[in-house]
Amino acid sequence: MSRANRGVSSRATPIAPPLAGGRFLLVLCAIVAVAVVLIGRITLLQVIDRPFLQSQGDARTMRHETIPAHRGMITDRNGEPLAISTPVVTLWANPQELTQDPLQRVVLSQALGMNLLDFEARLARFSEHEFMYLRRHMTPQAAQHILDLRTPGVYSQQEYKRYYPAGEVAAQLLGVTNVDDVGQEGLELAYQPYLAGQPGQRRILKDRRGRLIRELGVLKEAEPGGELTLAIDQRLQYMAYRELRAAVAEHRADGGVVVMMDARNGEVLAMANLPSYNPNNRAGLDPRGLRNQAVVDVFEPGSVVKPLAMAAILESSQFDRDTVVNTSPGWMRIDEYTIRDIRDYGQLDLAGILEKSSNIGMSKLALELHDMAIWEKYNQLGFGHNPGTGFPGESAGSLPAPIRWSRSEKATLSYGYGLSVTALQLASAYTAIANNGVRMPPSLLRLRQAPEGIPSIDPEVANDLLRILESSVGAYSGGRRARVEGYRVGGKTGTVRKTGVSGYDTNAYRSVFTGVAPISDPRIVTVVMIDNPKAGEFYGGAVAAPVFSSVTGNALRLLDVPPDHEVP
């Protein structure tokens, strides 16, 4: 090839490949398509799906949290707290967020006071959940100590815990709440809706770990529960419980009850029970201690109802206080049953029958009355009827209808067998004697004004019975140990055989005393029942009457009742 040709060839313009322009257009179209898709997606998310996505985002960050309501306080009649709610902290965890660091888990389990193996086993059980309790009802200081560890997945919530300043002294009356602060027993259960209040609600913002970022506002304020003012006087309650506990220990009894009632309006000033329990620490709880025996448990009252049966006898117009009954030889047979007195008392007037607690005298008088007389009197006095206090499980007792009664049944009813009552019913019945014949229904709550009451005994008969009750605690009577220095008091003893599987137990008794004080101007009615004393003495005059004396004497002084100028 010549030099000229080589020069021309080197200056020639290169020719572009035929597909170069096609590739450019293809790439350009791809870019445009991707841009269109992205713009469309952005438009879809920002415009069309925006409300939905925003709500989902809020749902994962914004929360509606319950504001716990403060449970209402229970106080005694003078405003002294008996049940209060204190703020506590509950720790919980999200097992799916909880730290996997073995060292942190060891530190956390130790801080919670848990065995590491138990802690790991519990975490394994809740591994598929997003919530588990770590520790409930901790003091704020103890909870903060654990929160300061800053363990991932551990959170806190505010709650309330019930505290009972009186402890075991008023446990059965007040009852208890469960771990969620809901009433389970006693007045806590009876007034649950009133005490609980209404929880509130607030809107808050949390991060993905559940930590509070800020509060967005309160949607509904929490409404605290109402305050409950009881009729009991905490001073009298402590004193009654102390004396009851001493008597139960001294006589090695199974338990006992003291009920003190205001004779003028029916308010229950004290209601003590044994066995009892500490509602602030229920470890090793004896289930028997949960029952409010004064309201729930029934028993045959025995001789303490003789004054009430005597009211029917005096109102019949067939007998008066001077009527004399021959009780010799100290026993009698009725319907193949033998009724006995402790000894042959011979001739007794009506006051003597109650003073000596003669079953023979009561039986002979009762058999002279029409069949319904004593039953009607007991019915008027509230036996066989619900007391109406609203206490859960309160008993109406048992007063069998007089259908085809035998003579023996009619007789035994007059001295306290064949019916069953509660200590509260017994106290209410005695208010009729103390209050000019008007019975006061019992009230566990403080009353703004005295109720009208229920006329149950002729006023003159009631006053006669007061004088007879006073003679029944005379210096030489079975109830003499119920006397109170400086005050005129009256009452009636009772010693009742307990029933077992095969009938009446010959070695188990209830010792009972019911009395009124002061006789000059009755203020209080007190019932004492000691269950199954086993230290030797078991008569009501020896076991229950001294408790009445101590409790009533202290109560009269605490209530500033002036002493009587003349005391028999």
Side-chain angles (χ1 to χ4, degrees), residues 7 56 60 176 227 236 362 374 396 417 453 543:
Q56 291 298 304
R60 286 162 173 75
V176 291
E227 185 172 303
L236 302 183
M362 291 299 301
I374 292 178
Y417 285 86
V543 177

Side-chain angles (χ1 to χ4, degrees), residues 186-499:
L187 295 176
E188 293 276 28
L189 173 60
Y191 291 92
Q192 164 61 24
Y194 175 75
L195 291 168
Q198 295 293 327
Q201 195 174 63
R202 64 175 180 169
R203 182 181 294 165
I204 58 175
L205 197 64
K206 289 187 175 182
D207 64 13
R208 65 184 184 87
R209 294 185 177 275
R211 293 173 297 196
L212 179 65
I213 298 175
R214 68 174 182 272
E215 184 174 327
L216 300 178
V218 176
L219 301 178
K220 178 186 176 184
E221 293 284 357
E223 298 178 15
E227 185 172 303
L228 200 63
T229 303
L230 304 189
I232 69 169
D233 186 319
Q234 187 170 235
R235 302 169 303 168
L236 302 183
Q237 182 72 17
Y238 270 102
M239 179 267 300
Y241 183 80
R242 181 191 65 210
E243 298 297 334
L244 178 64
R245 184 173 59 183
V248 168
E250 177 186 353
H251 297 283
R252 293 193 289 113
D254 292 343
V257 169
V258 172
V259 175
M260 183 183 296
M261 185 178 290
D262 190 321
R264 301 166 302 179
N265 60 13
E267 290 180 335
V268 177
L269 301 176
M271 180 178 283
N273 287 266
L274 278 175
S276 189
Y277 69 100
N278 183 357
N280 300 312
N281 182 9
R282 301 168 208 174
L285 172 65
D286 183 352
R288 295 182 305 159
L290 289 170
R291 292 201 324 273
N292 187 350
Q293 300 176 62
V295 183
V296 175
D297 287 5
V298 298
F299 58 93
E300 288 183 304
S303 296
V304 291
V305 299
K306 286 177 180 175
L308 307 179
M310 188 64 75
I313 292 168
L314 289 170
E315 287 179 358
S316 69
S317 300
Q318 296 176 237
F319 311 97
D320 56 35
R321 282 196 61 182
D322 298 325
T323 298
V324 175
V325 178
N326 182 13
T327 65
S328 294
W331 60 272
M332 62 186 293
R333 295 278 293 177
I334 304 178
D335 297 338
E336 300 181 356
Y337 294 96
T338 302
I339 298 175
R340 300 180 183 276
D341 285 339
I342 295 177
R343 61 179 63 91
D344 182 0
Y345 293 119
Q347 304 284 335
L348 293 174
D349 61 10
L350 299 194
I353 288 173
L354 289 184
E355 181 181 334
K356 303 298 183 183
S357 198
S358 171
N359 294 337
I360 303 300
M362 291 299 301
S363 297
K364 286 188 174 182
L365 291 170
L367 291 174
E368 295 296 320
L369 303 179
H370 67 83
D371 288 347
M372 298 285 288
I374 292 178
W375 183 91
E376 287 176 346
K377 183 54 59 184
Y378 288 168
N379 184 61
Q380 288 176 343
L381 292 167
F383 295 164
H385 297 279
N386 195 301
T389 63
F391 193 89
E394 67 178 355
S395 177
S398 174
L399 181 62
I403 301 174
R404 297 181 181 177
W405 268 0
S406 64
R407 285 169 54 82
S408 60
E409 290 172 323
K410 185 178 175 182
T412 55
L413 195 68
S414 70
Y415 58 86
Y417 285 86
L419 76 158
S420 62
V421 302
T422 65
L424 184 64
Q425 287 178 311
L426 200 54
S428 177
Y430 263 69
T431 61
I433 298 177
N435 199 41
N436 292 313
V438 179
R439 180 177 71 87
M440 291 297 169
S443 175
L444 300 177
L445 304 184
R446 185 174 184 180
L447 301 173
R448 294 182 178 179
Q449 60 183 20
E452 293 184 2
I454 304 169
S456 304
I457 300 176
D458 181 271
E460 291 186 7
V461 171
N463 290 328
D464 281 345
L465 288 174
L466 273 181
R467 291 190 290 271
I468 293 175
L469 288 177
E470 185 175 16
S471 67
S472 296
V473 298
Y476 302 102
S477 68
R480 61 186 178 276
R481 295 176 69 178
R483 302 170 77 186
V484 176
E485 184 177 356
Y487 294 93
R488 295 171 56 196
V489 302
K492 184 71 187 74
T493 63
T495 308
V496 190
R497 291 186 185 276
K498 296 185 66 174
T499 56

Side-chain angles (χ1 to χ4, degrees), residues 150-198:
R150 300 188 180 279
T151 306
V154 175
Y155 309 103
S156 66
Q157 66 184 41
Q158 302 297 316
E159 291 185 318
Y160 289 99
K161 181 182 179 181
R162 207 64 160 162
Y163 175 68
Y164 302 91
E168 63 185 30
V169 173
Q172 297 85 357
L173 176 62
L174 298 173
V176 291
T177 60
N178 63 13
V179 70
D180 294 316
D181 215 22
V182 177
Q184 300 295 295
E185 299 281 348
L187 295 176
E188 293 276 28
L189 173 60
Y191 291 92
Q192 164 61 24
Y194 175 75
L195 291 168
Q198 295 293 327

